[in-house]
Amino acid sequence: QTVVTQEPSLTVSPGGTVTLTCASSTGAVTSGYYPNWFQQKPGQAPRALIYSTIRKHAWTPARFSGSLLGDKAALTLSGVQPEDEADYYCLLYNGGTATFGGGTKLIVL
Amino acid sequence: QVQLVESGGGLVKPGESLRLSCAASGFTFSDYYMTWIRQAPGRGLEWLSYMSNGGGYIRYADSVKGRFTISRDNAKNSLYLQMDSLKAEDSAVYYCAKGLPTLAYGMDVWGQGTTVTVS
């Protein structure tokens, strides 16, 4: 069973840049894992941000970008806004099923 | 606009069954993969199952394989999750999510969820 690992929490200052990562227990994350990223604020359903590693949804703010960083998938927020404080989850597909990471709590302080 | 509305959650005893529904509107339901995801109280997201647009391709997470059954009725624009032999650890908010255009691997729009409590 695949285990997907994310940083439990990260802190960033408003206007700063932060990178969240997503690692797989099966080895290096590649585009073939079709990394997806989701944002969830308290009491709300998750909202999709990124799919297929780098692709943005129509509603995804320009300050969010996806990439591969070394052997991990990554989500970078540039010019962080206070409203970006939330939990962020990556999702990786492998062998026909999918696994979420444990989530990263992003604190904007 | 695209909308997904889950229903069918509630309080059940261990070992009982429950059937969740997800009503879709605002898009051509029969063109998209659909996925079920859950979130236990205070925990992260857990991918459960997905089904292809025509229903011929189905996958489950190991945690629910053999107990949960995904299905859909494209004529009714609805997705279902039959949950049998429920356990306390199945208590969670259950979300359905719409797949992506031309791609099986991802979701874009999520419903607001329905709460299942097994106790």
Side-chain angles (χ1 to χ4, degrees), chain A residues 39-90:
Chain A
Q39 177 193 65
Q40 187 179 33
K41 295 182 179 180
Q44 297 183 14
R47 181 176 76 136
L49 293 174
I50 300 288
Y51 66 98
S52 291
T53 308
I54 62 171
R55 299 190 183 278
K56 299 181 185 182
H57 295 281
W59 51 81
T60 304
R63 61 184 180 275
F64 290 85
S65 63
S67 66
L68 293 177
L69 200 62
D71 58 358
K72 300 177 184 180
L75 176 70
T76 298
L77 288 71
S78 304
V80 171
Q81 302 296 307
E83 60 265 29
D84 297 333
E85 183 162 292
D87 293 328
Y88 291 85
Y89 294 92
C90 67

Side-chain angles (χ1 to χ4, degrees), chain A residues 1 34 36 38 40 43-48 51-52 57 59 89 91 93 95-102, chain B residues 35 37 39 43-47 50 57 59-62 95 100 103-112:
Chain A
Q1 182 150 337
Y34 297 91
N36 280 242
F38 302 90
Q40 187 179 33
Q44 297 183 14
R47 181 176 76 136
Y51 66 98
S52 291
H57 295 281
W59 51 81
Y89 294 92
L91 176 71
Y93 287 82
T97 62
T99 306
F100 280 99
Chain B
T35 301
I37 306 101
Q39 186 170 35
R43 305 291 297 274
L45 301 172
E46 182 182 10
W47 184 94
Y50 73 163
Y57 184 87
R59 288 293 184 270
Y60 296 98
D62 287 346
Y95 298 100
L100 303 174
L103 184 64
Y105 303 126
M107 296 92 78
D108 50 16
V109 177
W110 295 52
Q112 285 303 303

